[in-house]
Amino acid sequence: MRPLVTLLGLVLLWQLIVTLFALPPYILPPPHAVALAFIKRGDVLLTEATVTLAEMLLGLAFGALLGAMAALGLLASQTARRWLLPVIVASQAIPVFALAPLLVLWFGYGMASKIVMAMLIIFFPVAATLYDGLRRTEPGWLDLAQVMTANAPRHRHRILLRIRLMAALPAFASGLKIAAAVAPIGAVIGEWVGASAGLGFLMLQANARVQTDLMFAALIALALCAVALYAAVDHLSRRLLPWQADTHVLK
């Protein structure tokens, strides 16, 4: 109920701004014009949203896998922590938009370059949160496990899988939620630089034709895809981590 009330308030505020400032439709179309664009071009929006959502899902899957592998590598090797961690952090200072033309050149105008772009954005929050969760395991659990296994080398993998990794799953879930929220950025930036399908491609086409209502409709469709992806990841994390109870400090 609250999301509907919030949505209604935003729509009313949108209409109020258009009315008070007498904004022309090519600057800011009224809500009913965008809704009409949804109705008239619903098939096109659905087709392009399917492409963008597929890029987001694949980017999230591969980015999460790559981030998890990097976090485990950082935990297992001191050399990797010494040399790889600064490189990973420094790589985030490079504007993602600057990499998009290179990725399109290397991987083409198809879906591959958009997936790689989403992977690059998703990789860091997953790697950072999982690595932080792995290295902050309760020391008492590790001490007990080492005593019970006599610190045998063959048991270190069991300690990693059954204690460190399980304790780090809530942090990993938080990283996935952040990744789900930023996944549309990589996909759309890749589509803006070079694509033949997707919501970002549709936005560029609508902008060139001064179809601002369709551009806003594509933007709202992108926001809905992002919210749906985030909600799916949040629901899945709650189902897979039932022991991680929600707590609220402020009532």
Side-chain angles (χ1 to χ4, degrees):
M1 187 63 181
R2 290 181 181 178
L4 293 177
V5 174
T6 302
L7 179 61
L8 180 60
L10 291 175
V11 171
L12 292 176
L13 178 61
W14 179 0
Q15 182 62 55
L16 182 63
I17 293 174
V18 172
T19 303
L20 287 179
F21 295 97
L23 297 175
Y26 62 86
I27 297 295
L28 182 63
H32 70 270
V34 177
L36 189 61
F38 261 107
I39 296 173
K40 289 184 176 180
R41 306 296 299 276
D43 54 341
V44 176
L45 288 168
L46 181 60
T47 301
E48 305 301 340
T50 303
V51 175
T52 302
L53 187 58
E55 296 168 353
M56 292 163 53
L57 288 172
L58 292 173
L60 180 62
F62 288 117
L65 179 61
L66 185 62
M69 292 173 60
L72 291 173
L74 291 174
L75 181 71
S77 173
Q78 185 176 359
T79 304
R81 290 193 296 272
R82 184 178 302 170
W83 295 99
L84 186 59
L85 187 58
V87 174
I88 294 175
V89 175
S91 67
Q92 299 305 301
I94 301 175
V96 179
F97 203 93
L99 298 176
L102 290 175
L103 295 178
V104 172
L105 178 64
W106 292 340
F107 297 96
Y109 285 88
M111 189 178 291
S113 58
K114 287 70 180 176
I115 295 173
V116 174
M117 177 64 68
M119 283 176 55
L120 292 178
I121 294 179
I122 289 166
F123 163 77
F124 183 76
V126 174
T129 54
L130 180 57
Y131 174 62
D132 191 58
L134 288 170
R135 69 189 183 95
R136 294 182 183 276
T137 307
E138 177 63 38
W141 299 350
L142 299 177
D143 292 339
L144 180 61
Q146 290 176 357
V147 169
M148 295 181 66
T149 59
N151 202 24
R154 67 186 184 88
H155 291 302
R156 291 177 183 175
H157 294 89
R158 295 183 181 180
I159 293 175
L160 173 63
L161 294 176
R162 299 183 181 181
I163 298 179
R164 282 189 178 274
L165 190 57
M166 297 302 291
L169 283 180
F172 181 58
S174 298
L176 284 180
K177 292 175 186 178
I178 298 173
V182 300
I185 298 175
V188 171
I189 287 178
E191 292 173 355
W192 283 348
V193 173
S196 58
L199 290 173
F201 172 77
L202 182 61
M203 289 180 197
L204 288 180
Q205 295 294 312
N207 184 51
R209 298 169 183 171
V210 199
Q211 296 175 329
T212 314
D213 52 348
L214 181 59
M215 187 169 61
F216 268 81
L219 182 62
I220 293 174
L222 178 64
L224 293 176
C225 290
V227 171
L229 183 59
Y230 179 88
V233 172
D234 182 62
H235 177 73
L236 186 62
S237 64
R238 291 173 185 269
R239 292 291 300 271
L240 296 180
L241 302 175
W243 64 86
Q244 188 68 21
D246 291 333
T247 57
H248 301 278
V249 177
L250 298 178
K251 299 295 184 179

